[in-house]
Amino acid sequence: MAGRILITGGTGYIGSHTAVVLTQSGHDIVLYDNLSSSSDVILDALKEITGKPIPFVKGDVRDADRLVHTLKSHKIDAVMHFAGLKAVGESVEKPLEYFTNNIQGAISLLNALQTQSINTFIFSSSATVYGEPEYLPFDEEHPTNALNPYGRSKKHVEEILQDIASSNPALRIACLRYFNPVGAHESRLIGEIPKGNPNNLMPSIAQVAMGDREELCVFGDDYPTSDGTGVRDYIHVMDLAEGHAASLTFLESNTGWHAFNLGSGTGYSVMELIHAFEKEANCTIPYRITERLAGDIAEYYSNPDKAAKLLGWKTKRNLKKMCASTWKKTKLTLYSSDTISQK
Ligand code: NAD
Ligand code: UD1
């Protein structure tokens, strides 16, 4: 088993769920985060879920000295790199901020790893690297043609990783291309905490269910899909977290650069998600059909066969579970300003 693992972005949404899965499967982990989009309150939640305190270092991945010190003092053997900015719209407005954080951050981290001869690296990539589908479902051979600065930051880091893996045969690198992560840990203690106005579908539906928004805007109902609304491949964040543990095991016996889709392989439409959520929350979600979103893609879903074959991993949690866990977490957030103390 890989020794001690550093999780950058470890107090964020996906990093914190992965921290639970890794700790519960016996790994030693250290979280590293600058807390720019998360809070260290998560550390109490993680302790409560796993029964152990999890070491945490407050730091930025662009801070080379802090990184090297952390890698040395915690005797790190492998790194999962979640830290980064992730809002597509914001990346169009502030591309340099995205390139600095996501690309410069990754380069800084990779340099630090090189100084310590740490060879195992798992990168949070995104299905967004594929861009407009040339065929569906997307397999890992599909050309990558990201359409916005966020997507390009992921594509560039993937390419950097490919180049360094070609230059150093000892490296073991996995780029995990996530489809649409949703849901929360069953404890309700951790989950996505959207900042400001979430634009993604699941948090928007949850806000309408909570009464924070009057209605949901459905962006177009004239796509060439089963009911005319956009189709996506939603994946429960705990399945995603388990995909990281499976990738780590895979890298123990495989060198080189590897890309994997992490998705369920099934697409659901906006209307299907609304109806599934209504059932779990026992409510009606008022909605209005609006114009298509500029640049939006009709259908986006994975072929997850490579991960099934090489990682021995596939998703286990269905749409009902994704909606139920989102709703449970949302209700807790609604009734408590301190999401940790109340259960
Ligand atoms: P998140 O915002 O919840 O977590 C990211 C974490 O990184 C935050 O805790 C933030 O404080 C930290 N961070 C940001 N910049 C940092 C820096 N320079 N140094 C140190 N820490 C920094 O996001 P998430 O949803 O957990 O996403 C994790 C990763 O997965 C990101 O790289 C994201 O691009 C990628 N991803 C997310 C999705 C999604 O829909 N959530 C989809 C595909 C890929
Ligand atoms: C977006 C990002 C993608 C990111 C993903 C998960 C873009 C272009 N892509 O993708 O990079 O990885 O989120 O975070 O932004 N919808 C509505 N009403 C809403 C919100 C969404 O109808 O209020 C529809 C969308 O048109 C789409 C579907 O719901 O058909 C899913 O939208 P969303 O959750 O934003 O995810 P993506 O568009 O896949």
Side-chain angles (χ1 to χ4, degrees), residues 149-200:
Y150 165 69
R152 280 190 280 275
S153 76
K154 293 292 175 188
K155 178 175 147 73
H156 290 326
V157 173
E158 281 205 3
E159 289 165 351
I160 290 167
L161 291 168
Q162 247 173 318
D163 285 339
I164 64 165
S166 307
S167 75
N168 178 356
L171 293 181
R172 299 159 188 272
I173 296 175
C175 291
L176 305 182
R177 296 173 178 166
Y178 312 158
F179 280 70
N180 289 52
V182 295
H185 186 261
E186 59 184 5
S187 66
R188 309 180 292 173
L189 294 173
I190 54 174
E192 191 166 22
I193 305 164
K195 274 196 166 173
N197 242 349
N199 295 317
N200 295 116

Side-chain angles (χ1 to χ4, degrees), residues 88 126 128 150 180 199-201 217-219 230 232 234 270 296:
V88 173
S126 169
T128 210
Y150 165 69
N180 289 52
N199 295 317
N200 295 116
L201 182 59
C217 291
V218 174
F219 302 143
R232 295 293 184 272
Y234 298 96
V270 176
D296 216 2

Side-chain angles (χ1 to χ4, degrees), residues 1-13:
M1 190 186 278
R4 191 167 289 164
I5 303 149
L6 186 78
I7 305 186
T8 75
T11 47
Y13 173 43

Side-chain angles (χ1 to χ4, degrees), residues 9 11-15 33-38 59-62 82-86 101 124-126 150 154 178-179 181:
T11 47
Y13 173 43
I14 305 170
D33 202 298
N34 67 1
L35 302 178
S36 59
S37 339
S38 57
D60 194 292
V61 287
R62 291 160 294 180
F82 295 90
L85 301 176
K86 63 167 182 178
N101 211 318
S124 293
S125 187
S126 169
Y150 165 69
K154 293 292 175 188
Y178 312 158
F179 280 70

Side-chain angles (χ1 to χ4, degrees), residues 86-89 125-129 147-148 150-151 178-182 192 198-205 213 215-220 223 229-234 268-270 273-274 288 290 292-300:
K86 63 167 182 178
V88 173
S125 187
S126 169
T128 210
V129 295
L147 299 171
N148 51 63
Y150 165 69
Y178 312 158
F179 280 70
N180 289 52
V182 295
E192 191 166 22
N199 295 317
N200 295 116
L201 182 59
M202 185 68 107
S204 302
I205 292 179
R213 273 192 207 195
E215 60 182 6
L216 180 83
C217 291
V218 174
F219 302 143
Y223 285 107
T229 64
V231 165
R232 295 293 184 272
D233 183 342
Y234 298 96
Y268 288 103
S269 72
V270 176
L273 195 62
I274 292 176
R288 181 164 53 94
T290 62
R292 288 181 180 194
L293 208 60
D296 216 2
I297 288 169
E299 290 195 280
Y300 224 78

Side-chain angles (χ1 to χ4, degrees), residues 2 120 171-172 246-256 258 310:
T120 304
L171 293 181
R172 299 159 188 272
S247 304
L248 195 63
T249 306
F250 170 81
L251 292 180
E252 280 168 19
S253 44
N254 291 278
T255 55
H258 308 269
L310 298 183

